[in-house]
Amino acid sequence: MSIAYDTIAFRSAKCDGCGECMKACAAVKQGTSRISIVPGARDGAFEMALCRQCGDPKCVMVCPAGALSKNAGNGIVDWAADRCVDCLLCTSGCAYGAISADPIGGRVIKCDQCGGDPACVGACPTDALEWGSAGSIYNRFGDKEDMFVPGLAGCQGCNSELIMRHVMRRIGRNSVLATPPGCIPGMGSVGYNGKTGTKVPVFHPLLTNTASMLAGVRRYYDKIGRKDIVVMALAGDGGTVDCGFHAVSGAAERGEKILYICVDNEGYMNTGMQRSGATPYGSWTSTTPVGDKLKGKTQDAKNMPMIMVAHRAAYVATASTAYMEELYDKLDRAIEASFHGFSYLHIYSPCPTGWRVPANKVIEACRLSVESNFVTLWEYTPEAGLRFTRSPDRPVPVVDYARTIGKYRHLDADQLAHIQAKVDEQVALLKRLAGEVSAVSAARAAAPEDSSTSAGAVPPPLRHETFRP
Amino acid sequence: MSQAAALSRDSRTLVIDGNEAAAWGAALSRPDVVAVYPITPQSSLVEYLAKFIAEGKMDAELMDVEGEHSVLSVLHGACLAGGRTYSATSAQGLAYMFEPYFRTPGLRLPMVVSLVTRDSVTPCCVWGGQQDAMTVKEVGWIQMYCETQQEICDSIPIAYKVAEHADVMLPVNVCHDGNYLSYGVARVDLPEQEVVDAFLGEKNVNWHACLDPERPMAVDPLTGGAGGAGPSMFVRYRKGQCAGMSAALDVIVAAHEDWGRRTGRYWSPLIEEYRMEDAEVALVTIGSMTGAAKDAVDEARLDGRRVGLVKIKTFRPFPAKAIAAALSKVKAIGVVDRAVNFGWNCGPVFQEVLAALYALPVRVPLVSFIGGLAGADITPEHFARSIADTIRLAAGEQVSSPVWLNEFDK
């Protein structure tokens, strides 16, 4: 298996040009910043100039002195100062403007990723820069056995299939897997007529009894001393929040030692896209259709992970496939917690077929759902309480997310305002649970009623348009 | 086998109610996982189980879950993992349990669940009757109905022996009447633990379907479809289920015989014939009503009337041949039910007996008696009236059927 490398990712939509990354880099490198944020072609947008650590680096090819080389271990294009003859051919060979001559001293400077903990990423206040460790995941799990056959019959772009394969690749063979009726068994994992698509023990529980059946499996194995088996569910939202709720709630209350993963595609997609208790307000579904009188679902979604927090489950987390490294971290903690108590992982899973999202836009929908706070990513343990694993501050408007999803195509301004208000309300509640009282609301609470200034509000960002290499 | 659950040797004879007798029968069978949820008139049974486990008399995982639906569901999981399992329920609990209940025989899970029979809501009622058990007679569980507290205690180990037999592999309901048996107190001689252990032998409950990483398989994948191999596979599963049910008749007889040899208590496995040798009319009974019915038969005999009685112990599978043989020589039959069959306006046992008798070359007239609903007592007087009606029927008189025994009770 080839090695994949971690990298610094840049999201221009989140960058406001504040320049903190450049300051941080300059401080760490005690000189000129290796990263440059520059005004982009689109008005008000910014772009980044930073070494991509290319797989076929042109700078290395043009270097006549052998001073530049691709490091196979960490993927970084290394610069050897003692070999460099300062010809600067490399700076003209790079298409990204990412290797340059230092205005101070004139020698070559380029990003070395600070040994895996880049200062620029830590300094970015808007999360426009992210340390993408997906390469590490590939290196850790890429050669692990896929627990499903290659030909599962999921729809093109199915996010649930992606979740199934990753989760079970991580967990491996020493497991018992429940997949209650829905897309997950329906795509062939449990199988038809004696054939199965799964390599671990797998079964259809009833739609209504997943957590209970698993609890019985676990109790017996614990009793006979086989305590290392991961006893787990990959369940849809319908069987979790609706008719199977009693079993989930009961198992959580009793602290049954199981790993319950809810793959939330916001409805009964396998049976033809009917609404569930997890379907968000406004959604078109086949039972909340759009017509002259009704315009999609008229109720808000049940927030199952927060209900699990109220059960004080041993571990509760939300995750998104747009952030796989985070998903894997949470999966590790969820597995560990399942040997001690009820462990609940809620993974949001856009359904290209049922949501009317193009297959190649599913991950983008995942990402926008998080960036708009429509989906919040957090984790909870009774000991540590609730904490955000991805900041809900500076969200994009929820309409940016909604317009990528076909099932929201009909939404009018009032409906969008309703969703935005509910998203804000949800985040405020989660922040209170996380012990984060926002500066604005704290100040508001402290200020006299007639105060016209919102003291403590975040000042508008500075625009460092003059920052250039 | 695990070490706990060794019962003290100095208290083998107890005076206990039927629910405690069931709990002892379960404890002696050493289930690995017991799931409990209370419902009248079963509640004290699960309390006894919890107490036995709390006191270390029983080495089982106690799963006190959130409802009967999960009671049976956790046992599905435990059984597929390899455990021996037990629970008990009644009426509404059985109704709520129905979804996994319906699935249990299809999965061929050899579990034992006591049904403390009760009339089912609505009309609202929490007292004895057999409407709950009779309503689920077509689901595929074996059903055995007990007459006494001692028979309850003994029938639970027997039920495991039947359920776990390789030719059967089906779940068993050991039924005992709510109120009359559940709360009625009588002497019970507990069998020795070693006797039960030797009787049951090593368990192997998931050789056919299991959830075990050491034997990975897909349990219960989809079958069926529009044609070809799918539906034919479904047919083979269904046919196998029916074959298991049919095989159970002989296994039930053998298990009772084996139990009798080991304990000295020989219970009638399928049906019991009481004073049938020269009987001209017969009553058919089921469950705890039988004692009063036998008294009434004895009274009638003292008056010179040739009356006998057939008690049904095993109702599913239905011992049709044994019933037909036992009733082949009588001139009229009165079948006493503690439940109704809505579709045929009679008792459910009546309808079954009627069907069994079709094999006979002669037509025997029958009358359906329905009594003991909602906790009502079926007294020897009620049975005396039933006998009189049946004798009138034998004499060629018209008897309107069904007869509602408790309709005019004061």
Side-chain angles (χ1 to χ4, degrees):
Chain A
M1 193 182 80
S2 61
I3 295 177
Y5 305 113
D6 296 337
T7 189
I8 295 168
F10 176 65
R11 300 267 296 149
S12 76
K14 289 193 144 194
C15 180
D16 62 10
C18 71
E20 290 300 323
C21 55
M22 292 187 282
K23 284 190 209 165
C25 182
V28 165
K29 299 301 178 194
Q30 297 181 335
T32 305
S33 175
R34 275 61 169 159
I35 183 170
S36 299
I37 301 296
V38 297
R42 197 158 54 83
D43 197 31
F46 293 88
E47 287 172 7
M48 176 189 73
L50 178 71
C51 177
R52 260 65 169 174
Q53 320 294 350
C54 298
D56 57 340
K58 296 293 181 283
C59 57
V60 173
M61 287 168 63
V62 300
C63 177
L68 288 165
S69 59
K70 178 79 174 171
N71 183 324
N74 57 17
I76 289 173
V77 174
D78 287 328
W79 174 65
D82 54 340
R83 289 193 176 191
C84 179
V85 296
D86 300 330
C87 69
L88 301 184
L89 276 175
C90 55
T91 64
S92 57
C94 176
Y96 303 106
I99 183 164
S100 53
D102 192 342
I104 307 158
R107 301 213 72 188
V108 162
I109 51 172
K110 70 172 294 299
C111 171
D112 61 3
Q113 295 187 341
C114 299
D117 183 20
C120 54
V121 172
C124 178
T126 63
D127 295 330
L129 289 171
E130 287 181 41
W131 180 240
S133 53
S136 300
I137 292 173
Y138 177 74
N139 295 338
R140 277 168 69 202
F141 300 106
D143 62 353
K144 291 232 192 281
E145 186 179 11
D146 190 338
M147 289 299 151
F148 297 97
V149 295
L152 291 181
C155 301
Q156 193 171 20
C158 177
N159 200 49
S160 299
E161 182 178 349
L162 184 152
I163 291 167
M164 292 158 61
R165 290 188 186 277
H166 275 275
V167 164
M168 294 316 296
R169 190 187 284 262
R170 162 67 186 86
I171 290 173
R173 283 184 178 263
N174 197 24
S175 55
V176 171
L177 173 62
T179 65
C183 294
I184 291 173
M187 69 177 78
S189 57
V190 179
Y192 299 97
N193 297 326
K195 295 186 173 62
T196 178
T198 310
K199 298 175 187 172
V200 301
V202 66
F203 67 110
H204 272 130
L206 299 166
L207 187 57
T208 47
N209 75 354
T210 305
S212 298
M213 265 189 93
L214 288 175
V217 170
R218 166 63 83 193
R219 289 283 195 107
Y220 180 70
Y221 280 128
D222 271 7
K223 184 171 192 290
I224 63 170
R226 291 177 63 184
K227 294 170 187 281
D228 59 345
I229 300 170
V230 178
V231 178
M232 61 172 297
L234 282 167
D237 52 285
T240 303
V241 314
D242 288 346
C243 61
F245 179 78
H246 66 104
V248 181
S249 175
E253 180 266 328
R254 296 190 303 275
E256 302 288 358
K257 292 179 272 184
I258 59 176
L259 169 58
Y260 195 102
I261 298 177
C262 177
V263 179
D264 180 5
N265 57 17
E266 300 180 350
Y268 295 92
M269 297 304 154
N270 188 57
T271 44
M273 300 163 273
Q274 298 84 4
R275 69 89 93 177
S276 79
T279 303
Y281 173 92
S283 300
W284 169 90
T285 72
S286 56
T287 52
T288 56
V290 177
D292 288 343
K293 292 196 170 178
L294 296 174
K295 311 239 177 258
K297 196 185 176 208
T298 55
Q299 305 87 8
D300 293 298
K302 193 188 281 190
N303 189 321
M304 190 66 185
M306 286 175 77
I307 293 169
M308 289 293 98
V309 169
H311 282 70
R312 297 178 58 77
Y315 183 74
V316 184
T318 60
S320 166
T321 50
Y323 306 95
M324 288 303 287
E325 50 273 57
E326 189 179 315
L327 193 157
Y328 268 92
D329 285 348
K330 288 173 173 172
L331 184 57
D332 282 348
R333 288 193 281 277
I335 294 165
E336 177 59 26
S338 75
F339 293 114
H340 309 292
F342 190 81
S343 183
Y344 183 85
L345 185 57
H346 193 101
I347 308 178
Y348 295 92
S349 185
C351 167
T353 307
W355 294 22
R356 313 302 197 218
V357 179
N360 64 351
K361 298 286 186 191
V362 168
I363 297 299
E364 187 179 325
C366 288
R367 191 181 299 280
L368 275 166
S369 71
V370 174
E371 291 184 341
S372 64
N373 281 346
F374 192 85
V375 162
T376 45
L377 298 184
W378 48 267
E379 68 181 358
Y380 163 89
T381 61
E383 300 76 28
L386 187 147
R387 74 174 186 94
F388 287 101
T389 51
R390 189 157 289 268
S391 170
D393 295 331
R394 297 170 182 265
V396 302
V398 80
V399 64
D400 289 4
Y401 166 62
R403 70 161 62 101
T404 66
I405 313 290
K407 70 172 174 173
Y408 297 131
R409 191 178 296 136
H410 61 282
L411 294 184
D412 60 26
D414 286 348
Q415 286 175 304
L416 283 167
H418 174 100
I419 296 171
Q420 183 68 62
K422 288 295 168 185
V423 164
D424 294 346
E425 181 188 309
Q426 192 86 292
V427 170
L429 175 57
L430 280 164
K431 282 189 169 184
R432 286 201 293 279
L433 290 174
E436 288 181 20
V437 180
S438 81
V440 177
S441 55
R444 214 173 264 153
E449 271 185 24
D450 60 350
S451 170
S452 56
T453 59
S454 59
V458 182
L462 292 172
R463 303 275 171 186
H464 294 274
E465 296 189 13
T466 54
F467 273 22
R468 287 177 178 282
Chain B
M1 273 209 175
S2 50
Q3 286 300 310
L7 301 170
S8 101
R9 286 181 149 275
D10 48 21
S11 58
R12 305 309 302 176
T13 298
L14 304 173
V15 179
I16 54 177
D17 66 24
N19 280 350
E20 187 170 359
W24 278 112
L28 287 161
S29 304
R30 298 186 193 264
D32 298 289
V33 180
V34 168
V36 300
Y37 188 85
I39 181 168
T40 303
Q42 161 265 36
S43 301
S44 63
L45 199 171
V46 297
E47 290 168 9
Y48 286 121
L49 294 169
K51 184 164 172 278
F52 291 172
I53 293 169
E55 291 171 350
K57 286 177 179 157
M58 194 175 170
D59 178 25
E61 279 289 309
L62 176 67
M63 299 194 70
D64 37 4
V65 299
E66 78 286 350
E68 290 88 351
H69 191 283
S70 281
V71 161
L72 205 49
S73 298
V74 298
L75 298 186
H76 279 189
C79 191
L80 284 165
R84 184 175 283 163
T85 52
Y86 177 76
S87 190
T89 191
S90 183
Q92 303 316 113
L94 180 61
Y96 184 40
M97 184 186 276
F98 187 73
E99 195 192 14
Y101 185 83
F102 194 88
R103 193 182 200 194
T104 312
L107 282 169
R108 309 298 295 268
L109 300 180
M111 52 179 61
V112 174
V113 172
S114 285
L115 292 185
V116 188
T117 56
R118 191 189 114 179
D119 247 305
S120 305
V121 175
T122 237
C124 201
C125 168
V126 295
W127 289 278
Q130 293 173 346
Q131 195 68 49
D132 49 2
M134 287 294 163
T135 300
V136 296
K137 64 191 168 71
E138 303 310 338
V139 174
W141 286 59
I142 291 168
Q143 287 190 345
M144 300 194 295
Y145 290 75
C146 299
E147 183 182 340
T148 65
Q149 290 78 354
Q150 182 72 59
E151 191 177 11
I152 297 168
C153 180
D154 289 357
S155 292
I156 290 172
I158 293 171
Y160 280 107
K161 184 83 172 179
V162 172
E164 295 174 9
H165 194 285
D167 294 341
V168 179
M169 290 300 283
L170 286 169
V172 180
N173 283 143
V174 178
C175 307
H176 66 263
D177 287 299
N179 299 64
Y180 290 95
L181 286 175
S182 67
Y183 303 150
V185 169
R187 168 184 167 145
V188 174
D189 291 323
L190 292 186
E192 298 291 335
Q193 183 67 65
E194 308 84 76
V195 170
V196 180
D197 288 349
F199 171 71
L200 286 177
E202 287 297 316
K203 68 170 186 290
N204 188 359
V205 300
N206 68 345
W207 53 268
H208 64 304
C210 71
L211 290 170
D212 185 345
E214 289 175 5
R215 283 193 289 152
M217 66 169 76
V219 171
D220 208 10
L222 277 178
T223 57
S232 69
M233 173 169 280
F234 184 94
V235 168
R236 288 198 295 279
Y237 281 136
R238 267 288 184 266
K239 193 177 167 191
Q241 222 177 307
C242 290
M245 201 57 145
S246 299
L249 283 170
D250 286 346
V251 174
I252 289 168
V253 171
H256 280 75
E257 176 68 21
D258 187 4
W259 182 261
R261 277 198 304 275
R262 294 170 192 271
T263 64
R265 288 189 292 276
Y266 289 88
W267 303 102
S268 300
L270 304 177
I271 61 169
E272 177 190 346
E273 297 181 43
Y274 182 73
R275 305 191 77 163
M276 284 297 291
E277 310 78 38
D278 59 345
E280 291 182 344
V281 300
L283 290 183
V284 178
T285 62
I286 187 166
S288 66
M289 68 167 80
T290 307
K294 285 174 178 170
D295 284 351
V297 167
D298 292 344
E299 284 292 323
R301 285 270 176 182
L302 287 176
D303 291 345
R305 283 172 289 190
R306 286 153 71 175
V307 183
L309 179 149
V310 172
K311 180 194 79 170
I312 295 175
K313 162 102 187 248
T314 298
F315 186 65
R316 281 291 177 272
F318 193 70
K321 281 183 185 163
I323 292 273
L327 296 173
S328 63
K329 297 194 182 78
V330 298
K331 294 175 182 162
I333 301 160
V335 182
V336 190
D337 272 280
R338 291 195 69 176
V340 301
N341 178 328
F342 294 103
W344 287 77
N345 191 29
C346 63
V349 179
F350 171 85
Q351 191 209 27
E352 302 275 339
V353 172
L354 188 67
L357 296 185
Y358 190 78
L360 295 179
V362 291
R363 291 283 156 266
V364 185
L366 288 88
V367 55
S368 174
F369 299 101
I370 297 172
L373 305 186
D377 194 6
I378 315 180
T379 62
E381 291 71 33
H382 288 113
F383 283 111
R385 266 169 39 205
S386 305
I387 290 167
D389 283 347
T390 311
I391 289 171
R392 285 198 295 117
L393 189 64
E397 292 182 38
Q398 287 287 320
V399 177
S400 164
S401 181
V403 177
W404 299 83
L405 292 177
N406 303 101
E407 189 176 6
F408 303 110
D409 286 359
K410 297 283 187 223

